[in-house]
Amino acid sequence: MSQCDGQAISFPVSTVTVEDGIPTELAIDHVISSEIALFRRPLKVVSLGSSAWAQRYRIDVEAQKQTDSYFMKISFGDHGREALKGEFESTLAIHSIVGSFTPRPIKWGSFKALSGAHYYLCRFYDFAEHAPKTTEFCQNIAFLHSRSNSPNGKFGFHLVTYNGDLPQENGYTDTWEEFFTIGFRHMVNMNIERGGPWPELEGLDTAMIDEVIPRLLRPMETEGRSIKPSLVHGDLWCGNAAVDSATGRPLIYDPASFYAHNEYELGNWRPERNGFDRSFFDAYHSVIPKTAPIEDYDDRIALYSLRFNLQAAALSPEDASFRNSVIEEMRHLVAKYPGGYEEYARMLSVGFGTFQSDDGNGNIKQGVLQALRFGYRHIDTTIAYGNEREVGEVIKKSGISLEEIIVTTKLAQTWHCVSDVERALDLSLERLQLDYVNLYLMHFPHAYSPGPDKTTMRHPNGKPIIDYQMSRDYPSTWAAMERLVDKGNSKMIGFSNFNILRLKRFLKSSRIPPAVKQIELHPYLPQVELVDFCKIKGIHVVAHQPLGGKPVAAVNPNADRPADMAEKQNRSLAQTILSWIVQQNISVIPKTVQESRMLPDKDMTTISNISKKKGEVRYLDAKHHINFDMSTSNTISQCRNDRPGTSVVFADI
């Protein structure tokens, strides 16, 4: 008995002829005509060649008015049986979603007359000589990824699938990082098992697993972000993609599927040998955007490609070029991410703000330089602060690699017009002496009427003149910012000082969701509802004015509850308040030009579980704040006074 397509089929015993370990076409003819009911008609068997792990045949069956052709793959042994079973189940899963984009599998099973021989059967296609059209092909791949759903919401597959004769570790896991790590370690072990000792790998594999993989994959599944497990082909290169000559439609075949991060599929497109150029990446991402954080995208694809190169090295241990490319890529990634995820989290958690420096901008160069020397790696500025040029000069002279520094700047309120957005960032990049920024924020949701040289036009009382029409059209401004990400001018984009109502409206239409939301946040303004909303939506929160700012001064000695907490913990007021924020997974960008006030990021976690302590810092009443949140009644009143005789509901802007 053999299990085929869910049905038990009985095969009679017969004798066959084998030459050099490969069944002859006559033998295959005899076996399949006697064992598979579909072929109990006049037929012709044509060999299509073989690989190290399978033989391929075309089977022509004479019908009354036509000839039906089928494709059969035959493999041997236990691995051969499991490989063909995995191919059948993979193809069946893909076909159930994308239909004719892959052949409909018919059967798989084991021959009775051919000892240890197993087969996979599907319809035969004549392939055209040309490659698939880029757009149509990528649309189909994107459809597969977006429409597929893991049966249990986890990463993995219900059985083992094979790349060639390499079994994959497909056990289900809750996180993509865990699944990928298990598979990566498995492929390293398979290389040593098949190719022998690998001295150059020593230490690199551990660093990859302990540092690089967490650094590149964990940010996609933290800070409220999540990854949808998508069904992937699993071995998609030009040798497993073709065009049906009869219909002109693209086809994919020979899959090794599992539920994965959708971008994993693209890792096999990166090596030039696999026949996919940059246009395929662009076409794919025109349908499915890159996963946040986008600044990690290129290295994520390199990591995924590394997994495929490990597979190639294990399949062809005699070819030293595969091992060499693996070692080269590992060394690059290990050198780039020596601190792993922990360093990434620290870099994000405490930044250096340049707003309202203690001496205007007179000491800003000194402040930024001291901050960088002190270990700060996130610098926050904007054109409105008037110090981008100074910040850029210090970064350039610091000698610190730009890959280690996160630079944030912002779109000013007189530059909201769609045609002005790219020019605004170009000018900021020129002043900063950078080719790109890590984060570009829309500074405020409301736009100001621009005067000469984009200065702010003002009323006689000195208040800015708000352009209400432009303010309501901030989704169009955001669309222009999205194009900056497409061009590589900014790695990420986000908002500053937006309330929940505006975010909800915006999220309905955005193509690239905001990576960061910067808000005023401190013990007097904890913004609990807004923070919770951002975490649910996968938007990282950055707190500006975390110590209350000059008008509030939450670190003032008279601030009762923070002072009490600090005294009990034997910490400064600043340490206490910043720890309370950072331990909520919120980044902070305090500012000072005095090195004595700068705090190492390690000081943010020295007070255990401060964010959970009740009745001291956590529940301070929000009595005072600088009023950056434009949804407050005071701001609405001010803006109504700005235009006498008008009634504006700012929740609609």
Side-chain angles (χ1 to χ4, degrees):
M1 302 290 287
S2 177
Q3 198 69 22
C4 298
D5 200 12
Q7 298 178 345
I9 299 177
S10 178
F11 294 150
V13 179
S14 58
T15 304
V16 299
T17 303
V18 177
E19 296 179 357
D20 297 326
I22 300 177
T24 64
E25 294 174 16
L26 181 62
I28 295 297
D29 185 317
H30 175 75
V31 171
I32 65 175
S33 62
S34 62
E35 297 192 15
I36 302 177
L38 179 66
F39 299 137
R40 289 173 187 167
R41 289 176 284 172
L43 54 84
K44 177 182 179 182
V45 177
V46 179
S47 174
L48 301 176
S50 63
S51 66
W53 44 81
Q55 285 85 51
R56 300 182 298 273
Y57 301 90
R58 189 189 77 224
I59 303 170
D60 298 330
V61 179
E62 298 295 334
Q64 290 183 350
K65 296 183 179 180
Q66 65 182 32
T67 298
D68 295 328
S69 295
Y70 299 88
F71 172 81
M72 177 174 281
K73 182 186 290 187
I74 296 178
S75 291
F76 295 86
D78 293 340
H79 280 299
R81 180 186 65 248
E82 295 306 307
L84 295 183
K85 180 181 179 182
E87 181 174 352
F88 177 88
E89 293 290 338
S90 296
T91 308
L92 186 66
I94 294 173
H95 188 273
S96 69
I97 298 166
V98 293
S100 60
F101 188 44
T102 193
R104 182 179 66 85
I106 298 173
K107 292 182 183 296
W108 78 274
S110 299
F111 289 115
K112 191 78 171 182
L114 283 174
S115 178
H118 319 279
Y119 68 88
Y120 164 79
L121 183 67
C122 69
R123 178 188 165 191
F124 178 84
Y125 292 82
D126 273 317
F127 293 155
E129 294 184 1
H130 59 84
K133 294 179 181 178
T134 303
T135 300
E136 183 181 9
F137 181 83
C138 292
Q139 286 175 343
N140 277 278
I141 294 296
F143 187 89
L144 169 66
H145 293 166
S146 61
R147 295 300 179 92
S148 55
N149 290 293
S150 171
N152 54 16
K154 298 184 178 184
F155 298 93
F157 206 57
H158 62 282
L159 46 70
V160 174
T161 54
Y162 279 67
N163 272 286
D165 63 345
L166 281 177
Q168 299 186 130
E169 288 283 352
N170 284 349
Y172 283 111
T173 65
D174 292 323
T175 70
W176 170 238
E177 179 188 341
E178 181 184 3
F179 181 86
F180 185 86
T181 300
I182 292 171
F184 186 91
R185 183 183 288 111
H186 171 67
M187 282 302 162
V188 168
N189 293 337
M190 292 296 293
N191 267 274
I192 296 173
E193 177 183 319
R194 295 192 175 195
W198 197 351
E200 297 87 350
L201 185 66
E202 187 174 351
L204 285 175
D205 55 339
T206 302
M208 289 293 301
I209 290 171
D210 292 345
E211 307 295 346
V212 176
I213 292 176
R215 166 61 186 85
L216 291 175
L217 302 189
R218 193 173 301 169
M220 296 187 293
E221 297 180 286
T222 53
E223 297 296 341
R225 298 188 185 103
S226 62
I227 302 173
K228 169 187 174 293
S230 297
L231 185 66
V232 296
H233 176 284
D235 189 22
L236 192 56
W237 62 295
C238 61
N240 288 337
V243 175
D244 179 8
S245 61
T247 64
R249 294 176 179 173
L251 287 167
I252 58 174
Y253 50 92
D254 201 9
S257 293
F258 50 83
Y259 289 91
H261 176 214
N262 63 292
E263 290 175 358
Y264 172 81
E265 193 91 273
L266 281 58
N268 213 19
W269 298 5
R270 187 172 182 259
E272 291 184 7
R273 68 178 185 272
N274 287 345
F276 292 94
D277 60 28
R278 196 70 209 175
S279 65
F280 282 83
F281 289 85
D282 294 339
Y284 177 85
H285 287 303
S286 70
V287 183
I288 298 181
K290 297 173 183 177
T291 304
I294 296 175
E295 69 270 22
D296 291 343
Y297 172 81
D298 288 339
D299 287 336
R300 276 202 309 268
I301 297 299
L303 175 63
Y304 296 159
S305 180
L306 184 56
R307 157 73 188 261
F308 286 104
N309 283 338
L310 278 168
Q311 292 171 180
L315 288 170
S316 304
E318 72 285 351
D319 188 344
S321 66
F322 290 122
R323 281 196 167 191
N324 292 339
S325 67
V326 165
I327 294 300
E328 181 180 357
E329 192 67 71
M330 280 191 180
R331 285 173 176 165
H332 169 72
L333 291 173
V334 168
K336 187 171 182 178
Y337 300 109
Y341 178 78
E342 287 70 23
E343 181 178 287
Y344 167 80
R346 287 196 300 269
M347 285 178 64
L348 286 180
S349 64
V350 183
F352 182 75
T354 62
F355 172 59
Q356 287 186 345
S357 295
D358 297 343
D359 183 23
N361 282 323
N363 291 327
I364 193 63
K365 286 187 177 182
Q366 177 187 355
V368 174
L369 182 60
Q370 288 174 338
L372 291 172
R373 288 174 176 171
F374 209 68
Y376 287 72
R377 290 297 182 266
H378 179 191
I379 307 298
D380 180 271
T381 182
T382 179
I383 181 176
Y385 302 166
N387 56 32
E388 285 181 321
R389 194 174 304 279
E390 289 80 3
V391 169
E393 290 175 1
V394 173
I395 290 175
K396 185 174 182 178
K397 293 178 180 179
S398 69
I400 300 172
S401 170
L402 292 178
E403 292 183 346
E404 296 183 33
I405 300 176
I406 297 172
V407 178
T408 296
T409 192
K410 307 175 186 74
L411 178 72
Q413 290 156 276
T414 56
W415 293 80
H416 276 218
C417 180
V418 170
S419 60
D420 290 337
V421 172
E422 183 174 357
R423 176 60 177 160
L425 181 54
D426 285 343
L427 290 172
S428 289
L429 292 175
E430 180 181 331
R431 288 186 288 266
L432 289 164
Q433 302 182 60
L434 298 173
D435 294 326
Y436 66 88
V437 291
N438 303 87
L439 177 61
Y440 196 47
L441 301 177
M442 191 185 303
H443 203 166
F444 286 92
H446 56 286
Y448 289 160
S449 297
D453 299 324
K454 293 293 182 180
T455 56
T456 301
M457 295 184 66
R458 297 182 179 275
H459 290 289
N461 61 7
K463 293 182 179 180
I465 299 176
I466 295 177
D467 185 329
Y468 290 94
Q469 182 176 354
M470 186 70 67
S471 296
R472 291 187 178 91
D473 197 28
Y474 61 83
S476 295
T477 304
W478 180 261
M481 292 175 65
E482 290 176 326
R483 291 190 284 274
L484 300 178
V485 176
D486 297 335
K487 292 185 175 183
N489 295 345
S490 181
K491 298 292 186 179
M492 298 180 289
I493 49 179
F495 287 121
S496 183
N497 307 306
F498 272 59
N499 60 38
I500 290 179
L501 292 175
R502 292 190 181 90
L503 280 177
K504 286 181 177 178
R505 176 194 171 195
F506 156 79
L507 289 172
K508 293 178 181 179
S509 60
S510 62
R511 177 171 61 88
I512 299 177
V516 169
K517 172 74 170 72
Q518 192 179 105
I519 55 175
E520 179 193 356
L521 188 148
H522 46 73
Y524 288 114
L525 186 64
Q527 303 258 41
V528 175
E529 183 182 3
L530 182 53
V531 169
D532 288 345
F533 177 81
C534 288
K535 288 183 177 180
I536 291 172
K537 296 299 181 181
I539 303 170
H540 183 73
V541 176
V542 175
H544 68 67
Q545 307 298 316
L547 300 178
K550 291 180 180 178
V552 180
V555 296
N556 188 298
N558 294 324
D560 50 359
R561 294 179 185 173
D564 291 344
M565 170 66 83
E567 184 177 352
K568 291 177 182 178
Q569 298 290 335
N570 194 27
R571 295 292 188 273
S572 71
L573 287 168
Q575 283 178 311
T576 303
I577 294 171
L578 295 179
S579 295
W580 171 73
I581 298 173
V582 168
Q583 289 180 29
Q584 298 177 66
N585 294 319
I586 299 170
S587 298
V588 293
I589 46 171
K591 56 87 186 172
T592 181
V593 295
Q594 299 183 36
E595 186 171 355
S596 61
R597 296 181 182 177
M598 294 181 182
L599 300 174
D601 50 40
K602 61 183 175 61
D603 286 346
M604 300 302 100
T605 56
T606 53
I607 307 177
S608 176
N609 292 325
I610 188 173
S611 66
K612 298 179 181 179
K613 295 182 183 295
K614 298 182 179 181
E616 298 181 76
V617 172
R618 189 180 182 199
Y619 292 110
L620 277 176
D621 294 330
K623 296 177 180 177
H624 306 91
H625 57 92
I626 299 176
N627 211 3
F628 280 106
D629 187 337
M630 298 304 294
S631 66
T632 63
S633 58
N634 287 340
T635 304
I636 293 175
S637 175
Q638 290 171 5
C639 291
R640 283 177 176 164
N641 293 335
D642 197 31
R643 287 185 64 187
T646 63
S647 177
V648 180
V649 180
F650 268 71
D652 294 333
I653 291 181

